[in-house]
Amino acid sequence: SSTKKKLKAVGINIYGGGFTLGALEHFEVLGQWEEIGLGRRTFDLNFRGIPRPLAQADWPVKAHVGEVDLVYANPPCAPWSQANNHLGKTRASRFEDIRLTLTKHTYETAVALRPKVFVSESVEAAYNVGASHYDQYIELWMKAGYSVTFFLTDALLHGAPCQRRRFHFIAHQDELQLGLPPIIEHPKTVRDAIGDLT
């Protein structure tokens, strides 16, 4: 029997590796590239053999240009997150958050890799509050010959027992046809999800 060759993927700023677990179902993950050590112990407990360089200077971009099908990313959500509301925090100060440099490095590295598809996930407020911040990345990807699609969803609609609204920035070489995701009729409760653990 012939085995279908897996497509290739790279994760950038994924931290503990939750997205990498999902990617491994469908892709050969060439690496999970990081700039900070968040989630290092979790990653090490769950993964073997996936390179995880911890400095942008060590990311092997040139070695993988043109051979990556998917780049998936999750740079820090904190600049936009409602959990980051505190005394003195203003809408304008969110755009000055130093952690946005990780978003910049993620997007610039991804476009340099020339993947077929790039997907970056963040909290809903990245779109609501930070939409103008993402304008520069729309321009970056479009100049490189890609189309850009924004996708907003809530995990509650797909079976999670909590609200988890997320913004996805998707850059793609080919036309993207997103069908309606499966939406459950009755959202799960926490008891539905973990009631059998007691």
Side-chain angles (χ1 to χ4, degrees):
S1 67
S2 62
T3 320
K4 188 175 179 183
K5 189 176 179 184
K6 281 191 172 181
L7 300 173
K8 295 179 180 179
V10 167
I12 302 179
N13 287 321
I14 301 297
Y15 314 113
F19 286 102
T20 295
L21 278 176
L24 283 168
E25 290 293 313
H26 305 283
F27 295 87
E28 175 190 350
V29 177
L30 302 176
Q32 184 179 299
W33 304 347
E34 307 291 340
E35 291 182 76
I36 53 180
L38 285 177
R40 182 66 192 245
R41 289 183 64 203
T42 302
F43 179 90
D44 289 346
L45 286 170
N46 288 292
F47 301 97
R48 297 285 183 267
I50 295 179
R52 191 179 193 265
L54 275 170
Q56 187 188 13
D58 296 328
W59 295 354
V61 179
K62 289 182 181 176
H64 296 301
V65 171
E67 72 169 24
V68 178
D69 298 288
L70 171 70
V71 173
Y72 59 98
N74 183 227
C77 299
W80 314 116
S81 175
Q82 296 301 318
N84 194 21
N85 287 343
H86 52 81
L87 192 63
K89 191 73 171 176
T90 65
R91 185 181 182 105
S93 69
R94 292 179 182 276
F95 290 84
E96 298 163 5
D97 194 307
I98 191 67
R99 290 168 289 199
L100 290 178
T101 59
L102 277 73
T103 302
K104 180 177 188 294
H105 297 161
T106 297
Y107 280 64
E108 289 176 349
T109 300
V111 81
L113 284 168
R114 305 283 309 158
K116 291 188 173 87
V117 178
F118 167 71
V119 181
S120 180
E121 183 261 6
S122 192
V123 293
E124 178 187 31
Y127 174 78
N128 296 336
V129 176
S132 62
H133 177 78
Y134 288 88
D135 287 346
Q136 64 186 309
Y137 302 125
I138 294 172
E139 186 177 346
L140 174 73
W141 283 96
M142 290 184 75
K143 279 186 176 176
Y146 289 76
S147 298
V148 173
T149 299
F150 285 0
F151 179 69
L152 298 167
T153 193
D154 189 332
L156 181 72
L157 301 174
H158 312 297
C162 63
Q163 285 189 334
R164 189 172 171 84
R165 296 186 180 118
R166 289 298 182 263
F167 157 60
H168 298 83
F169 181 110
I170 308 169
H172 43 98
Q173 291 180 342
D174 299 323
E175 182 179 349
L176 183 64
Q177 296 184 358
L178 289 173
L180 287 174
I183 296 177
I184 62 168
E185 192 171 333
H186 302 288
K188 282 184 183 176
T189 65
V190 173
R191 183 181 297 277
D192 293 333
I194 62 171
D196 60 341
L197 298 179
T198 58

